Amino acid sequence: QRYVMAVFYFSTDGGNWDECNAPDDVCNTTQVDEANALCNVLGDGPDVFNFPIVQGTDAWLTPSDECLWGGNACRNETFCMDRIEFEGNGLAGTLPFEVHDLIDLRYLIVEEGETTGSIPSEYGTFRTLHILDLN
């Protein structure tokens, strides 16, 4: 799951997002703290199922669990990725097919970005995806 999220970061031009960019040196605690302070994106949109989730506002690729990276949310009981939610955060590049490997993903919301290319065909076979919002 961490690998897939790192691929998502690099494929969508992470490092040039408006918020939640990885620090230059993830081993430097000062840089990690500064990057975390610049991340305020939550993956907290409406959930009609009301599953308990865990989320945070840590910068991406930091040593914290990827469930705590801004814009992500995981199921509380499994820590499996439940949601990726970025609205207007400057995502660009392409959506990677590897996201399909997040087998418990229910929400993929990446609105108002500058992503290009086609939607990976693998996205058509998500088992649990309820909302795919790419506008």
Side-chain angles (χ1 to χ4, degrees):
Q1 167 173 294
R2 190 174 184 90
Y3 167 77
V4 172
M5 299 313 293
V7 169
F8 180 87
Y9 178 81
F10 289 111
S11 294
T12 59
D13 204 23
N16 291 307
W17 295 347
D18 297 335
E19 293 187 54
C20 304
N21 292 296
D24 291 333
D25 182 357
V26 296
C27 295
N28 181 315
T29 56
T30 301
Q31 286 188 24
V32 169
D33 290 343
E34 290 170 353
N36 287 344
L38 297 173
C39 182
N40 298 299
V41 178
L42 285 172
D44 65 348
D47 181 5
V48 296
F49 302 102
N50 293 315
F51 286 130
I53 58 170
V54 60
Q55 63 181 331
T57 57
D58 287 353
W60 280 56
L61 307 183
T62 56
S64 64
D65 191 281
E66 60 276 8
C67 294
L68 302 177
W69 296 346
N72 295 338
C74 292
R75 299 253 181 109
N76 197 38
E77 68 276 0
T78 63
F79 262 63
C80 290
M81 193 61 59
D82 183 68
R83 139 182 335 250
I84 302 170
E85 184 171 351
F86 281 100
E87 295 187 50
N89 194 33
L91 270 67
T94 59
L95 296 171
F97 72 88
E98 288 89 350
V99 170
H100 178 263
D101 291 336
L102 301 172
I103 60 172
D104 288 331
L105 190 70
R106 292 184 307 129
Y107 299 94
L108 178 57
I109 302 168
V110 290
E111 299 178 296
E112 302 172 25
E114 298 293 326
T115 56
T116 59
S118 22
I119 299 169
S121 60
E122 292 84 357
Y123 286 23
T125 60
F126 275 110
R127 290 182 327 149
T128 59
L129 193 68
H130 293 286
I131 295 180
L132 176 63
D133 191 346
L134 307 174
N135 75 351

